[in-house]
Amino acid sequence: MLKGRHLFEPSDLSLKEVDEIFSLAEEIMENQNKFLDICKGKLLATLFYEPSTRTRFSFEAAMFRLGGQVIGFSDPNASSTAKGESIEDTIRTVGCYADIVVMRHPEKDIPKHASKYSDVPVINAGDGSNQHPTQTLTDLLTIKSFKKKLSNHVIGLCGDLKFGRTVHSLVKALSRYEDIKFVFISPPELKIPDYIKEELKEDSYYETEQLEDVMDDLDILYMTRVQKERFSDEEEYLRLKNQYILTTDKLKTAKKDMIIMHPLPRVNEIAREVDNNERAVYFKQAKLGMFVRMALIAKLLGVK
Ligand code: NCD
């Protein structure tokens, strides 16, 4: 039963619950008209203490498309945070008005902490470089849609594996499926953290700096942006930001049915020419993100 639950990281959901969310998302995609007012009279609050395009808009679009309504802020300076109000008091207040809260925050575990003061479900929409469970649901549904299964894949994750929360969430979530091999592609400075590797079977991953060398091995290539906002040293960011730029030429050795994913926003790491490559699915991925959030909202509110 998902009704009333919070969501901080993918492992808060059992594999069966993930399946149920995907089944509902697929049902919604097939017949949106059937779901036009299942959230009528319900209110979703979006509390975004960090910038967002896809996550916030897809949550808001999801709620509107289910017949519900939305309140919230995308700039905390426009809320009483600017007057010094604590997160605890903000969530306590918002929980009086809304039926479900979506929160993004630059610090790890703040949505989890805030949920202790909330009577309504709190969804983590990204907490610092820690976790981003709804992007992971989006990513898993994308893999399922294009590769027809969630097990038995070689997935290359490329770019900022140190700070990228979507990577941390996705690796944790995918490691629960059978026969997943991870190829971590990054410069030494942006390697996947040890605490993530420690949870993986030793023979289920390897690390490299060279994208081209491993390209022909991959079923999925997950590109990521170097997370500028997490660097304390701008020089270092400037040095690392263009280390990987995926071009059509670099795809020459890729499997024909490999898919290229990216949580977006993209900066320089995928050349625009790649958008027309049949392997590129990142904008379709963004669209699936709305449907999976529709399903998640409906489940947490207990209307489906
Ligand atoms: C990601 C995020 O916020 O972590 N964006 C998203 O939610 N799709 C990735 C990023 O910002 O690079």
Side-chain angles (χ1 to χ4, degrees):
M1 187 61 160
L2 279 162
K3 185 178 175 192
R5 297 240 300 267
H6 303 299
L7 178 60
F8 310 120
E9 56 178 291
S11 55
D12 292 333
L13 302 168
S14 68
L15 292 185
K16 187 165 167 280
E17 287 165 341
V18 171
D19 273 350
E20 284 165 12
I21 292 168
F22 290 170
S23 298
L24 180 58
E26 282 157 1
E27 214 183 315
I28 295 171
M29 280 190 265
E30 272 159 36
N31 189 355
Q32 274 199 67
N33 286 341
K34 234 176 87 188
F35 299 89
L36 285 179
D37 58 11
I38 61 166
C39 285
K40 194 164 173 215
K42 303 278 187 196
L43 215 53
L44 172 125
T46 49
L47 310 186
F48 276 64
Y49 293 84
E50 254 194 354
S52 170
T53 299
R54 270 146 297 270
T55 305
R56 187 168 66 84
F57 287 146
S58 65
F59 261 115
E60 296 189 355
M63 192 55 170
F64 283 126
R65 285 177 185 274
L66 295 172
Q69 289 185 294
V70 178
I71 55 173
F73 57 76
S74 54
D75 173 8
N77 291 322
S79 78
S80 283
T81 304
K83 301 180 190 168
E85 186 170 57
S86 68
I87 274 272
E88 292 88 341
D89 290 358
T90 301
I91 196 109
R92 229 176 215 161
T93 308
V94 174
C96 297
Y97 310 141
D99 302 287
I100 186 163
V101 176
V102 179
M103 180 187 278
R104 169 171 286 188
H105 200 279
E107 270 177 66
K108 178 178 187 286
D109 284 339
I110 292 290
K112 191 177 202 166
H113 172 73
S115 73
K116 297 188 184 126
Y117 301 85
S118 166
D119 292 333
V120 302
V122 175
I123 302 174
N124 176 11
D127 58 329
S129 53
N130 187 34
Q131 295 282 315
H132 193 346
T134 63
Q135 182 63 44
T136 296
L137 288 174
T138 303
D139 298 342
L140 294 179
L141 182 59
T142 304
I143 295 171
K144 184 168 181 274
S145 302
F146 288 96
K147 305 296 285 182
K148 306 297 171 215
K149 58 182 168 59
L150 284 164
S151 55
N152 200 359
H153 294 299
V154 179
I155 176 167
L157 297 111
C158 176
D160 188 346
L161 311 186
K162 179 180 180 189
F163 295 119
R165 57 192 171 202
T166 69
V167 169
H168 302 164
S169 268
L170 181 59
V171 170
K172 223 171 153 176
L174 267 179
S175 67
R176 300 199 291 174
Y177 295 89
E178 298 280 303
D179 288 324
I180 298 290
K181 182 128 199 169
F182 299 99
V183 185
F184 297 124
I185 308 151
S186 73
E189 296 87 342
L190 298 178
K191 274 169 79 162
I192 190 106
D194 288 342
Y195 75 88
I196 306 262
K197 283 190 286 187
E198 275 156 19
E199 288 186 21
L200 301 176
K201 284 193 226 112
E202 230 167 83
D203 60 354
S204 72
Y205 70 88
Y206 65 93
E207 295 174 270
T208 176
E209 210 177 325
Q210 299 305 328
L211 174 57
E212 282 99 317
D213 289 359
V214 298
M215 190 66 91
D216 60 349
D217 209 19
L218 308 178
D219 302 309
I220 301 160
L221 173 58
Y222 192 93
M223 294 296 294
T224 63
R225 167 182 77 91
V226 177
Q227 306 279 298
K228 182 179 182 193
E229 65 276 33
R230 314 264 180 244
F231 281 75
S232 46
D233 178 356
E234 202 189 336
E235 288 285 303
E236 177 157 80
Y237 166 71
L238 294 173
R239 195 163 49 76
L240 295 171
K241 73 176 179 137
N242 290 330
Q243 173 127 358
Y244 300 103
I245 300 180
L246 185 65
T247 57
T248 314
D249 192 50
K250 291 184 186 160
L251 286 167
K252 275 203 302 243
T253 58
K255 289 182 186 168
K256 228 183 143 29
D257 64 349
M258 183 188 84
I259 57 169
I260 306 164
M261 297 173 62
H262 192 310
L264 302 177
R266 151 196 42 201
V267 186
N268 283 333
E269 58 281 356
I270 302 183
R272 262 155 235 285
E273 62 182 23
V274 176
D275 298 359
N276 301 321
N277 191 283
E278 70 273 18
R279 300 178 185 90
V281 302
Y282 29 92
F283 286 106
K284 292 176 186 143
Q285 182 184 350
K287 185 160 184 178
L288 288 168
M290 180 182 75
F291 291 113
V292 91
R293 289 180 174 103
M294 288 170 86
L296 178 68
I297 292 169
K299 290 281 183 194
L300 296 182
L301 287 176
V303 296
K304 268 288 160 192

